[in-house]
Amino acid sequence: FPSHDIRFFMGYFSFFIGIYFWMVQQKKVLSVLMIAFALLNHASLLILLPTLFMFRIDTNQFMKRSVQLFLIATLFFTVFKAVLVYIPAELYLLLYFIMPEHDSSFLGALYTFLPSIFTLFVMHKFAQKKLKEHPSLANDKKFEFLYKFMVIPLLFLGLSFDRQVLGHRFILSSVL
């Protein structure tokens, strides 16, 4: 098990623990420290920074906004993938995700991520059922955090069909 995977997983969960401290426990300083720790652990976690704004979206509108962002991210990556090749070598983080050895076939990615997609879909349906049974859950900070923590990794699904490394890092980590 390479050491960079250990650093990534430690950073990944530290990032979301930091968000938990911010959203649920209102411990802002500890939150910032956890997120900084996560980003210092592994540079690829910088990709998660744009997802921070998603934790401010209302729970009832969250899935709709997530699907929109998923489509935009997938379209953006597909259209501008050719442009990414011209980025200077100093920007290793971006080059890491576009290196040819990370290319994957659609069927290979589907085979790899289909169980995760199914698991996350079932969890989403379960969460929606609980929201209908108990509408007050929409205002529960812990439920809101867990629901959003479950959905946000799906934003990387479209990208992972082209670059499985993104799916391995961001989708499979959330299912664990």
Side-chain angles (χ1 to χ4, degrees), residues 63 109-127 150-151 153-154 157 160-161 171-172 174-176:
M63 187 53 83
L110 190 61
Y111 175 77
T112 302
F113 301 118
L114 194 58
S116 300
I117 295 166
F118 177 73
T119 302
L120 291 170
F121 177 76
V122 169
M123 290 184 340
H124 167 68
K125 287 299 183 187
F126 180 76
M150 173 192 71
V151 173
L154 290 179
L157 184 61
S160 66
F161 283 125
I171 296 173
L172 295 181
S174 69
V175 175
L176 293 176

Side-chain angles (χ1 to χ4, degrees), residues 26-133:
Q26 304 299 315
K27 295 180 180 180
K28 308 293 188 205
V29 174
L30 188 55
S31 171
V32 170
L33 289 174
M34 289 299 289
I35 290 172
F37 173 75
L39 296 176
L40 291 172
N41 254 310
H42 207 279
S44 69
L45 291 168
L46 287 168
I47 292 173
L48 288 176
L49 283 177
T51 66
L52 285 175
F53 82 92
M54 294 190 67
F55 282 93
R56 298 181 54 108
I57 299 173
D58 181 49
T59 305
N60 295 323
Q61 294 291 316
F62 188 72
M63 187 53 83
K64 177 182 172 185
R65 299 287 182 234
S66 296
V67 168
Q68 291 170 346
L69 194 58
F70 160 77
L71 293 172
I72 290 169
T74 304
L75 181 64
F76 178 82
F77 184 77
T78 304
V79 170
F80 293 105
K81 188 170 71 168
V83 175
L84 293 176
V85 175
Y86 300 107
I87 291 177
E90 294 82 31
L91 299 175
Y92 174 75
L93 173 66
L94 293 174
L95 290 177
Y96 173 74
F97 289 118
I98 63 166
M99 289 163 48
E101 62 263 19
H102 295 301
D103 278 348
S104 64
S105 68
F106 178 80
L107 288 178
L110 190 61
Y111 175 77
T112 302
F113 301 118
L114 194 58
S116 300
I117 295 166
F118 177 73
T119 302
L120 291 170
F121 177 76
V122 169
M123 290 184 340
H124 167 68
K125 287 299 183 187
F126 180 76
Q128 292 300 320
K129 178 183 171 193
K130 290 299 174 188
L131 275 172
K132 285 181 182 175
E133 291 174 3

Side-chain angles (χ1 to χ4, degrees), residues 143-158:
F143 178 84
E144 180 183 3
F145 169 77
L146 291 172
Y147 179 66
K148 291 177 180 181
F149 174 72
M150 173 192 71
V151 173
I152 285 175
L154 290 179
L155 296 175
F156 297 99
L157 184 61

